[in-house]
Amino acid sequence: MPDQPTSRGAYVSADDLLNDRRDWLSVHAVEVMPGAYDVVLKIDGTYFDRDTAHEVAESFTRDIRYLLANIDPDRLLVPPTDAA
């Protein structure tokens, strides 16, 4: 399945990701252009090297995509809707 995200093995479940990042998790409104805001989830601390920050962001993106693709629907707070 080429479209299936693959995990680096950093996190086995969403629980692992959230528990490990507990001290860093926060939600912020970030102005992306005058009068336009994105709501973002901060999952890690501050980096002072741009390349390192981008590498870490890409790594978390892979992990999160993998975890989202493998969520157990029985554990969701709101049941998924069937796409018709």
Side-chain angles (χ1 to χ4, degrees), residues 7-18 20 63 66-68 70-72 75:
S7 173
R8 295 179 311 107
Y11 299 100
V12 175
S13 71
D15 293 344
D16 293 337
L17 172 75
L18 296 174
D20 284 353
D63 289 339
Y66 172 81
L67 295 172
L68 288 172
N70 292 286
I71 287 178
D72 178 358
R75 295 196 59 206

Side-chain angles (χ1 to χ4, degrees), residues 10 14 49 54 58 61:
D49 178 74
H54 282 282
E58 290 170 4
T61 298

